[in-house]
Structure formats: structure tokens, C-alpha cells
Amino acid sequence: INDKQGLLVVNPDTLVSGTAVVSALFCMRKAVLAEKFKSLEGGNRVMLIGTLVHELLQEVLRQAKYKRPEILQILDVLLTAPRMVADMSSLGLSDGDMRKEVEPFIGHIQYFVKRFMLGQFVAKPEL
């Protein structure tokens, strides 16, 4: 964005994901309907795990807590958030199930922080 071109939307009425924009290339109606009714779609286990890992990374970066015990404390807080509890309940998952699924990603979060935030050269974690 500069003084000759570009646009900055400060308070959008509707947020459209990049995925929805790309899917509109193939079928515009499907993209619009999917965005309009996305709250009616049920989530699934993999999506919920991905959402939790993403939220965990965001909180780790926001709070600048990079040690494993600190990250686990943040995870415990996220697992008790009302929306997360509701989503886990609707999928029949317990907080223990989710914790077991997300814990392997902690090493990857720590790698990301060390490599890209702190500029350290460290080995990639095992998959």
C-alpha cells in the first residue's frame, strides 16, 4: 500500500479467507455459500487440533513464554476456553484427548520460536 495504489480496510463488514477467494476461481456460488453458511458446517477432529495448535502458537508468541512447562500451562488455559470445551464436547473429545494430540507440536512451536523469532540455528524436530 502506498499513496498511489492499495486499499486498507479498517472495519470490514465481512472477512473472507484466502481459501474462499481461491475457491471462487472454480465456482463463485460455492465460495459465497460456503462463506455464508460456514457456521452450519460441523468441524472435525483434525480441524479442531489445527485450531488449537494455531491458538497455542499465538499465545506462546504473545506471552513470550517459550519453555515447555510454560507452554503446557498455556495449553491448559486454552483447553478450558468455553468455545474449545463446546467444540470438544460436540466431537466427543476430552481435554486429555486434545492434550495428547497437541503435545507433539510443542517441539515444533519451540523450533519456530528459536529459529524465526530468536534467530538461533537449531535442528528441526522429528515429525
Side-chain angles (χ1 to χ4, degrees):
I1 298 174
N2 60 30
D3 61 343
K4 299 198 188 317
Q5 68 180 24
L7 181 65
L8 177 64
V9 178
V10 179
N11 293 313
D13 293 329
T14 303
L15 293 176
V16 181
S17 69
T19 304
V21 172
V22 171
S23 68
L25 297 173
F26 304 104
C27 178
M28 199 172 300
R29 288 183 305 264
K30 182 179 177 183
V32 170
L33 290 171
E35 193 67 25
K36 187 85 172 158
F37 298 107
K38 70 181 175 183
S39 63
L40 298 178
E41 296 175 10
N44 66 44
R45 185 173 165 268
V46 174
M47 288 171 53
L48 187 59
I49 292 166
T51 299
L52 183 56
V53 171
H54 181 80
E55 289 178 7
L56 181 60
L57 173 61
Q58 284 182 302
E59 280 302 307
V60 164
L61 295 175
R62 191 179 70 73
Q63 296 182 28
K65 295 186 175 180
Y66 308 135
K67 295 179 180 163
R68 186 175 182 84
E70 296 170 330
I71 295 172
L72 288 170
Q73 286 179 335
I74 294 170
L75 176 58
D76 288 338
V77 170
L78 292 175
L79 285 171
T80 61
R83 174 68 191 220
M84 184 59 63
V85 171
D87 289 346
M88 289 187 308
S89 177
S90 71
L91 294 172
L93 298 168
S94 70
D95 57 342
D97 295 332
M98 288 298 288
R99 186 180 173 102
K100 190 170 89 174
E101 293 288 345
V102 173
E103 278 189 25
F105 290 96
I106 292 175
H108 296 274
I109 290 172
Q110 289 176 310
Y111 168 78
F112 178 87
V113 168
K114 288 175 184 173
R115 177 68 182 96
F116 299 106
M117 303 301 294
L118 303 177
Q120 300 174 4
F121 290 98
V122 292
K124 289 184 180 178
E126 299 279 326
L127 293 178

